[in-house]
Amino acid sequence: MKKGCFFLGVFFLLSAVLTGNESGLIEKFPLEKGGLHLSRLSQAQSFFDSVGRQSAVLGQENGNSEIWIYPYKVLHNFCLYFLIEDESRLLDGKTLARRIDVYPHQTILRYVHSFFRVEEIFFTPLRKSGAVILLSVETTKPLAVIASFAPDLRPMWPAGLGGQYSYWDEGGKYFVLSEGTRKNVALVGCPSGEKYSSGPAHALPEEDMKFKIRIQPNKGRRYFFPIFISASHEGRKKADEIYLSLNKNFRQLYLEKFHHFYRMQKESLTIQTPDKVLNQAFEWAKVAVAKALVCNPQLGCGLVAGYGLSGQRERPGFAWFFGGDTFFNSLALNSFGSFDISRQGLTLIRENQRQDGKIMHELSQGAAFISWFEEYPYGFYHAETTPYYIVAFNDYLNWSNDTEFLIESWASLKKAYRYMLSADTDHDGLMENTAAGLAALELGAFLEKTKSDIYLASLSVEAFKAFSEMAVFMGEESLALESKRFYKKAIDSLQSKFWIKEENRYAHAITIENKPLTETTIWPFMPLFFCQLPSNRVGVTLDIFASSEMSTDWGVRSLSPKSTYYDPLNYNYGTVWPFLTGYTCLAEYNYGRTQAAFSNLLHLAHNTFIDALGFCPELFSGEIFTPLEESVPHQVFSSSPIITCSVRGLLGLKGNALKKEIGFRPNLPGDWPEVEIKNFILGKDVFDFSVKKTKGKLFFRIRGSTESPYRLHLNPSLGFGSRVKKVSVNGSERDFEIEEERGEVRCVLRLELKGQIEVEIEHENSIFLHVPTRFAQVGDKTRGLKIIRVDFKKNQMKILAEGLGGEKYSIQLLTPRPILSVSQAEVVEEEKQRKKLKLIFDQENMNYFRKEIVINFK
């Protein structure tokens, strides 16, 4: 948004006056619509939300919604009816919802009729409790809006209250919801509202509760008609205070939230690439992850896992606190510089650590009403959360340089480390599911066979490594040496025990008989994600990941369809999870499978716009591109890998603020002429990167706002078969090294960065492979070309690919090299810098078939 427009909007908003007239309406002001924005015609069953840190509006695009003010579900089935008073005609708003506009700070539904247009603006404060629904009405006749809802006042599952009742308070113009002790109270109303339904005063009514808001055309032009919702566990007085403050301070609350997300968009990490969809998905992923921060008045602040409708139940998606989700999503928060949110998430987990050191799996927002950890099994029934806590903490430390937090948390980390040792009963360095609980899977046939799955084992290895590094910083040398010994033992066990020699790949798990569980799952991505496996042993595993066996046009399957346990709708045994796709994407980037990795990244980005606008669903069918019915529509760990894969994979950016080091290993597509990266944050230091390509040259400009110099390890991909002619740094020729993996060439430079440096790499004869990505539409099956592996040696490129029988595909080679011959494909265009090949899979049945394209260059 242009700066002038931004400040003009702020000026008008600040000029708006909250009126003191008899109806207590809010004088209209221009709504802030700068920054991120998505819009479409309403899709009746699609999800939307408007969430703050203490409350949430969760709804569908037909206008039906529910409202949570933590820890309560206040109401559900909230919807609008419209009464044209001179005709006595009642219209159901669900039939009139026409358009939705989604912003980080608000969501707007538009209802359209020939006599009127109504905008319903859903708003929750950023930091304060409560919810506000503004009605902006344009009508040619007197109109009444009927607000209807089913009352709840129920804490989040599995807690409960009894004796709820409701009544209309004529003085306050709101419904009061409470229960026998009168400690738990919610208020729902409008300053100009009139009671429009009846019910018993000693109980909640069986029918929906309603109030009416009368609107004259002249008032509709001048005022917003607000609906306020408040709640408190401290009684009626506190609920009244919150209710009144929503009205009194609305402009301030509105501006605070708008400015928060506007600043986050501009001041945190941003990327500008030639792919506008990826750029937009990256920004919305930042919003999706930031909205995971919730502050429960009884439990504190932490990261919830996601948002979805609860209907008549008390489970709003996964809007309660999870350990594993916090750790995975913190990698994204650290990547775009949101250290404060990451720290708050880790703090809540630390504060709920078990006495023996085990880290919690989940904590319901209703936990203060019950003995959650003592009487329910969910709190600590996962094993991987304890090592992941150590790994995530170390990641946060390296990116944020928050050594004070390490010192404050060191006792907790040592307890977690000791718990890890206690869960290794055979002393091979790897925690065991049989001793500590669940990890990769939560249900199904594999569990009873599993001693240690590869997800838990890999986290065990990485946790020992991370703990050793932190122990060194804390000056505990003997503890550092001890954990380093465990790391070496653990990684040896991981690499040997999970290896299936006969199939040349790694297993999903070690069974209780100490044998590899040979079912093909996607979970061996985890040691690849941490670079724990030798390159000469990962080829077959990575080939399987990229093949049609595991890869769809919207992500990777959790289990191979060749398995007798495969079910494309089963939660753990065949569905496509974006968060598993994210791990796989990073694993592929780590081991040089950039074609498959980039395809997975683009599919993750595409998922941002197919269901709930701006958010990614929890999981998809393994066969047909559609979210499962039970899928949570705003699942945070489905959006966060867009950030992590973009930053740490595509751009290859990693940092260590403690050691003053930056790794920059970009894997940019050959047809991208430039990329801009702004506000890469390490501790309090900020860096910008500019990458530009011209014919035979790659140019970097890197700026750092730092007090101390950083060591920069620059390692860009130059494509296949490239020869580096010359490297200049700030105009002076510089020595360099070459890395090569299966013919892909990287130029390696080790530089000191303080202020600004410019690097120019001159190279020739590069070959980049460009494969158009196929984006599925809802209802599609997988049809896209799968690039499994690319190798280049002695002027010959081999491309192992799979395609669907009867389909035609095209690939492009971006290179000045002339082609001598091609097998299993046809050259259809050959320009000086670009060659186009056509691939035909002429088999008649609709299965995937594999072929190797061999291209010989002159």
Side-chain angles (χ1 to χ4, degrees):
M1 187 173 79
K2 293 181 179 178
K3 186 180 292 186
C5 296
F6 167 70
F7 285 112
L8 187 61
V10 173
F11 171 78
F12 281 123
L13 184 54
L14 289 172
S15 301
V17 178
L18 183 67
T19 65
N21 63 48
E22 71 283 355
S23 58
L25 305 180
I26 297 176
E27 192 163 352
K28 279 191 174 179
F29 56 82
L31 296 173
E32 290 291 354
K33 297 183 179 181
L36 294 174
H37 172 219
L38 294 172
S39 181
R40 70 181 175 204
L41 295 177
S42 296
Q43 299 178 1
Q45 301 304 311
S46 291
F47 176 84
F48 77 85
D49 65 34
S50 178
V51 302
R53 294 179 183 175
Q54 296 196 48
S55 53
V57 179
L58 313 175
Q60 293 174 307
E61 293 181 17
N62 62 7
N64 191 300
S65 62
E66 63 188 51
I67 295 176
W68 289 77
I69 299 175
Y70 305 130
Y72 308 104
K73 179 182 182 181
V74 176
L75 58 87
H76 71 280
N77 199 32
F78 182 93
C79 55
L80 300 180
Y81 294 86
F82 302 99
L83 179 63
I84 302 175
E85 302 230 38
D86 64 353
E87 299 181 11
S88 300
R89 202 157 37 119
L90 188 65
L91 304 172
D92 187 343
K94 291 190 287 292
T95 67
L96 301 177
R98 294 290 182 266
R99 177 165 290 279
I100 183 168
D101 290 272
V102 178
Y103 304 84
H105 62 293
Q106 64 189 358
T107 298
I108 303 175
L109 278 179
R110 181 180 298 173
Y111 304 87
V112 178
H113 183 269
S114 56
F115 290 152
F116 61 83
R117 184 178 79 167
V118 175
E119 287 187 338
E120 186 178 22
I121 300 116
F122 297 94
F123 175 81
T124 52
L126 177 67
R127 294 181 173 87
K128 300 294 184 181
S129 178
V132 181
I133 299 172
L134 291 183
L135 302 180
S136 177
V137 181
E138 299 175 35
T139 180
T140 58
K141 295 183 176 183
L143 180 71
V145 179
I146 312 299
S148 174
F149 63 92
D152 290 291
L153 191 65
R154 300 174 185 172
M156 197 173 290
W157 81 283
L161 293 172
Q164 286 98 326
Y165 62 87
S166 66
Y167 63 90
W168 176 260
D169 186 300
E170 184 60 34
K173 300 291 184 181
Y174 49 57
F175 281 108
V176 179
L177 312 180
S178 191
E179 44 75 44
T181 70
R182 301 185 182 182
K183 294 178 182 177
N184 303 286
V185 180
L187 309 175
V188 184
C190 173
S192 60
E194 305 171 18
K195 182 181 178 183
Y196 198 66
S197 62
S198 60
H202 61 278
L204 296 181
E206 294 184 4
E207 301 294 327
D208 287 357
M209 301 170 71
K210 299 179 177 68
F211 57 88
K212 180 165 72 173
I213 305 168
R214 298 178 186 271
I215 302 169
Q216 296 295 326
N218 62 330
K219 283 196 173 183
R221 288 189 290 270
R222 183 175 178 184
Y223 298 110
F224 288 123
F225 293 79
I227 297 170
F228 299 113
I229 304 97
S230 70
S232 176
H233 66 284
E234 299 178 30
R236 171 70 179 275
K237 182 179 179 181
K238 185 66 175 178
D240 269 315
E241 290 175 4
I242 296 169
Y243 188 94
L244 293 172
S245 72
L246 290 172
N247 193 330
K248 179 181 178 181
N249 302 317
F250 178 76
R251 291 175 297 162
Q252 177 184 341
L253 297 172
Y254 183 86
L255 270 180
E256 179 190 27
K257 192 172 186 183
F258 168 74
H259 286 153
H260 171 80
F261 283 107
Y262 191 83
R263 284 194 301 270
M264 187 182 77
Q265 182 186 356
K266 300 300 181 184
E267 296 175 6
S268 65
L269 179 71
T270 63
I271 63 171
Q272 289 298 318
T273 78
D275 192 315
K276 294 182 179 179
V277 172
L278 177 59
N279 300 341
Q280 190 176 38
F282 185 90
E283 289 300 320
W284 276 104
K286 287 160 56 177
V287 172
V289 177
K291 286 190 173 186
L293 180 61
V294 160
C295 293
N296 182 295
Q298 297 162 305
L299 303 175
C301 299
L303 299 180
V304 301
Y307 301 95
L309 290 170
S310 64
Q312 296 185 5
R313 301 176 298 168
E314 290 77 47
R315 294 171 64 102
F318 288 117
W320 56 96
F321 306 110
F322 283 83
D325 296 66
T326 293
F327 307 141
F328 180 69
N329 295 328
S330 73
L331 305 182
L333 289 163
N334 300 338
S335 296
F336 75 87
S338 189
F339 303 134
D340 176 63
I341 295 179
S342 191
R343 176 171 173 159
Q344 290 187 70
L346 292 170
T347 299
L348 182 129
I349 302 298
R350 184 193 69 192
E351 295 305 308
N352 288 281
Q353 186 176 24
R354 204 166 69 183
Q355 189 62 37
D356 65 355
K358 192 174 188 181
I359 295 297
M360 75 169 210
H361 168 61
E362 61 183 308
L363 176 65
S364 168
Q365 289 207 59
F369 294 87
I370 55 178
S371 299
W372 170 257
F373 290 120
E374 295 80 13
E375 297 182 5
Y376 293 84
Y378 314 111
F380 293 101
Y381 80 144
H382 263 248
E384 89 287 350
T385 48
T386 303
Y388 216 157
Y389 170 61
I390 295 172
V391 171
F393 201 105
N394 191 52
D395 189 83
Y396 167 78
L397 176 67
N398 289 337
W399 288 69
S400 69
N401 200 22
D402 189 354
T403 56
E404 179 183 313
F405 191 44
L406 172 62
I407 295 168
E408 176 187 318
S409 306
W410 185 236
S412 167
L413 290 161
K414 287 198 289 186
K415 285 172 64 176
Y417 168 72
R418 294 299 177 196
Y419 177 81
M420 284 182 59
L421 298 180
S422 73
D424 174 20
T425 63
D426 60 4
H427 308 295
D428 64 352
L430 305 178
M431 291 177 66
E432 295 144 26
N433 300 83
T434 49
L438 303 174
L441 307 179
E442 292 190 333
L443 50 87
F446 293 179
L447 293 184
E448 62 186 31
K449 305 175 184 179
T450 298
K451 176 183 178 182
S452 182
D453 66 45
I454 199 165
Y455 184 56
L456 178 60
S458 176
L459 281 164
S460 302
V461 172
E462 198 65 17
F464 286 132
K465 180 183 177 183
F467 186 80
S468 178
E469 293 174 2
M470 290 187 285
V472 169
F473 180 85
M474 293 299 297
E476 298 206 28
E477 295 297 333
S478 60
L479 195 56
L481 290 172
E482 177 189 90
S483 55
K484 192 172 184 179
R485 287 195 299 272
F486 281 118
Y487 165 72
K488 290 179 178 178
K489 180 187 291 187
I491 198 166
D492 287 344
S493 297
L494 173 69
Q495 293 179 0
S496 60
K497 290 190 173 186
F498 286 83
W499 180 245
I500 309 173
K501 184 177 180 180
E502 300 78 11
E503 300 179 30
N504 206 30
R505 65 180 179 90
Y506 286 90
H508 168 80
I510 300 302
T511 68
I512 53 178
E513 292 87 13
N514 285 317
K515 296 178 181 179
L517 196 160
T518 58
E519 294 281 353
T520 302
T521 75
I522 202 66
W523 289 93
F525 60 62
M526 202 62 185
L528 300 172
F529 170 74
F530 288 127
C531 298
Q532 293 167 342
L533 302 179
S535 296
N536 61 352
R537 277 191 164 190
V538 300
V540 172
T541 298
L542 288 166
D543 286 354
I544 293 171
F545 288 177
S547 73
S548 58
E549 180 179 350
M550 302 301 284
S551 175
T552 72
D553 291 347
W554 49 94
V556 294
R557 297 183 179 98
S558 53
L559 178 66
S560 167
K562 295 179 181 179
S563 171
T564 56
Y565 298 99
Y566 174 75
D567 177 351
L569 304 184
N570 187 287
Y571 194 72
N572 281 156
Y573 292 82
T575 47
V576 171
W577 293 67
F579 105 96
L580 301 185
T581 302
Y583 275 123
T584 304
C585 173
L586 284 159
E588 289 167 333
Y589 272 124
N590 285 343
Y591 285 86
R593 301 299 184 96
T594 54
Q595 287 77 28
F598 186 58
S599 177
N600 278 325
L601 174 56
L602 294 184
H603 289 145
L604 288 168
H606 176 66
N607 293 343
T608 306
F609 311 104
I610 56 93
D611 190 21
L613 281 178
F615 309 120
C616 295
E618 177 191 10
L619 71 166
F620 296 87
S621 162
E623 293 295 327
I624 297 171
F625 182 51
T626 184
L628 267 61
E629 290 183 9
E630 66 269 27
S631 174
V632 172
H634 176 175
Q635 183 73 27
V636 179
F637 70 27
S638 295
S639 292
S640 67
I642 298 171
I643 300 167
T644 317
C645 294
S646 295
V647 177
R648 305 188 187 199
L650 174 68
L651 302 176
L653 271 171
K654 297 179 182 178
N656 190 316
L658 289 174
K659 297 179 180 179
K660 303 295 181 185
E661 293 176 347
I662 295 175
F664 187 24
R665 190 176 185 267
N667 301 285
L668 305 181
D671 61 339
W672 282 13
E674 59 183 335
V675 170
E676 293 286 338
I677 307 160
K678 294 184 178 179
N679 302 321
F680 178 68
I681 303 171
L682 293 174
K684 296 182 179 180
D685 300 322
V686 183
F687 304 87
D688 297 334
F689 301 80
S690 175
V691 186
K692 293 188 178 181
K693 291 182 180 180
T694 59
K695 181 181 175 182
K697 290 184 179 180
L698 184 59
F699 181 78
F700 296 88
R701 178 179 291 115
I702 304 168
R703 294 185 296 271
S705 300
T706 69
E707 293 184 1
S708 304
Y710 272 70
R711 292 186 296 276
L712 172 66
H713 187 194
L714 179 62
N715 191 6
S717 172
L718 302 176
F720 292 91
S722 182
R723 187 180 76 84
V724 179
K725 297 165 62 177
K726 178 184 175 183
V727 174
S728 299
V729 177
N730 291 335
S732 300
E733 193 165 341
R734 184 68 173 260
D735 291 337
F736 57 89
E737 298 174 12
I738 293 295
E739 287 182 2
E740 189 170 343
E741 180 72 24
R742 298 190 328 280
E744 184 177 14
V745 175
R746 293 182 179 274
C747 180
V748 181
L749 293 166
R750 293 173 179 83
L751 308 170
E752 183 179 276
L753 173 60
K754 187 175 183 182
Q756 177 174 298
I757 61 172
E758 295 183 351
V759 179
E760 184 176 86
I761 302 173
E762 295 185 34
H763 59 95
E764 63 183 1
N765 294 332
S766 300
I767 306 169
F768 286 93
L769 179 66
H770 173 66
V771 181
T773 301
R774 182 181 184 276
F775 297 108
Q777 300 302 310
V778 172
D780 284 357
K781 298 194 72 173
T782 292
R783 304 179 67 89
L785 182 69
K786 311 300 178 188
I787 300 296
I788 298 170
R789 188 186 338 120
V790 181
D791 296 279
F792 182 86
K793 188 177 182 180
K794 295 182 178 179
N795 296 320
Q796 184 181 80
M797 175 173 278
K798 294 181 179 180
I799 304 171
L800 189 63
E802 288 182 350
L804 201 61
E807 287 286 330
K808 299 178 181 178
Y809 303 96
S810 66
I811 60 175
Q812 295 183 35
L813 300 172
L814 310 177
T815 181
R817 293 178 180 238
I819 293 177
L820 183 63
S821 64
V822 176
S823 65
Q824 298 295 321
E826 177 186 350
V827 180
V828 292
E829 293 179 18
E830 186 166 8
E831 301 174 0
K832 190 172 182 180
Q833 298 293 331
R834 185 183 298 261
K835 284 78 179 168
K836 185 176 181 180
L837 276 62
K838 181 169 68 175
L839 286 67
I840 301 175
F841 292 81
D842 51 13
Q843 292 86 351
E844 293 184 0
N845 60 27
M846 295 294 288
N847 294 322
Y848 267 86
F849 297 90
R850 180 173 293 191
K851 63 169 59 178
E852 185 176 63
I853 300 100
V854 179
I855 307 163
N856 292 301
F857 294 91
K858 292 181 181 178

